[in-house]
Amino acid sequence: MSHLKNLVINGGNSLIGKKLAEIEEHKTNVIKIVRTNSDLNENTNNLFFANAIDSDEIKETILKIQEKYQTIDQYVHLIGSIVLKPLHSQTKEEWLQTIDLNLNSIFYALKFILPIMIKQKKGQIVLVSSVAAQIGLMNHESISAAKGGVESLTRSLAITYSNYGIRVNCVSPSLTDTKMAKFLTQNEIAVKSTVSLNAIKRIGIPEDIAHAISFLLNDNSSFITGHVLNVDGGLTKIRTPPKI
């Protein structure tokens, strides 16, 4: 019987994390890192608690996972936030928190994930960006700065660790119907505005993003690294014709 790969999902209680776990549960041993357990039906055997922007907590949690499971074959980082404010009206604390959640949290985790994968001489890592990193969107200054860093980091990590059999890729969604984006997805004007720019006339759903991540984790994508996969209904690459 073949050994199931150990998949660690940081942000495992997000809607995308839950959908990814459903997709992968029969193919991998799914291990979730969460801040709190909001689901009373959650199986706590593979559940670990940590604040993603507390580097000491993350270190301790990753070392506990390694001690229990020996290997970490795959890692998915689903930590992030959405801040829509023009730069001049943001506080210093809001700016720094956005960078900390969306970019620095990757450093806090990979600082301890990567040595495990280096020792194994194999691993798959998937990060999550945003279309705001690739196109100019109004009031997205802090999130575009953070996610631009995520995409650049993806490419650098991919080449630095390629000799260790580690692949690093990134998924870049547009507006998706998640808990974090609820303040937008429940706004009819915001949804209509986004849909009008998409070639595929809807917003994303968690399954869209989860299936894209699953593909990048799969051995069928073994020749792909350093890639940013846009899951955005065509928003970043296709210009819909104006209504006349």
Side-chain angles (χ1 to χ4, degrees), residues 18-213:
K18 289 178 179 179
K19 290 298 179 182
L20 179 60
E22 290 175 10
I23 293 166
E24 295 293 321
E25 64 182 349
H26 298 301
K27 299 182 284 183
T28 63
N29 179 39
V30 178
I31 303 155
K32 295 181 181 181
I33 300 175
V34 301
R35 186 167 184 175
T36 59
N37 186 10
S38 58
D39 186 351
L40 297 177
N41 296 317
E42 182 79 57
N43 179 359
T44 58
N45 290 333
N46 287 17
L47 204 60
F48 292 80
F49 296 91
N51 180 349
I53 56 175
D54 186 320
S55 58
D56 291 332
E57 281 190 21
I58 286 294
K59 175 183 179 180
E60 182 181 353
T61 298
I62 290 169
L63 294 179
K64 282 181 181 177
I65 292 171
Q66 183 187 25
E67 181 180 6
K68 183 173 181 178
Y69 300 102
Q70 286 75 59
T71 65
I72 296 177
D73 303 290
Q74 301 173 327
Y75 175 77
V76 176
H77 195 83
L78 296 176
I79 304 300
S81 64
I82 302 175
V83 177
L84 300 186
K85 274 189 176 182
L87 188 146
H88 74 276
S89 68
Q90 289 190 44
T91 65
K92 178 182 177 181
E93 289 71 26
E94 287 173 327
W95 176 273
L96 292 177
Q97 185 180 49
T98 302
I99 301 298
D100 212 23
L101 276 167
N102 292 278
L103 182 58
N104 294 345
S105 64
I106 298 172
F107 169 77
Y108 303 145
L110 293 189
K111 172 77 174 171
F112 305 102
I113 292 284
L114 282 166
I116 297 169
M117 291 185 172
I118 289 170
K119 188 175 180 180
Q120 298 166 177
K121 297 193 182 307
K122 63 178 180 178
Q124 291 96 42
I125 296 169
V126 180
L127 309 177
V128 177
S129 178
S130 162
V131 294
Q134 300 176 41
I135 58 175
L137 295 174
M138 187 179 291
N139 299 329
H140 281 66
E141 286 78 21
S142 59
I143 197 68
S144 66
K147 294 303 191 181
V150 173
E151 295 192 5
S152 295
L153 180 62
T154 297
R155 291 184 284 270
S156 187
L157 288 168
I159 186 60
T160 299
Y161 296 99
S162 60
N163 287 339
Y164 298 101
I166 299 170
R167 294 191 298 111
V168 185
N169 291 292
C170 181
V171 169
S172 178
S174 58
L175 180 61
T176 303
D177 191 9
T178 62
K179 289 181 287 187
M180 186 171 66
K182 186 175 287 187
F183 74 102
L184 288 170
T185 58
Q186 291 185 343
N187 182 321
E188 186 177 349
I189 294 173
V191 171
K192 283 184 176 180
S193 176
T194 298
V195 169
S196 71
L197 297 172
N198 291 351
I200 298 174
K201 297 302 180 185
R202 64 175 177 85
I203 63 171
I205 56 175
E207 289 90 333
D208 295 326
I209 317 306
H211 279 291
I213 295 170

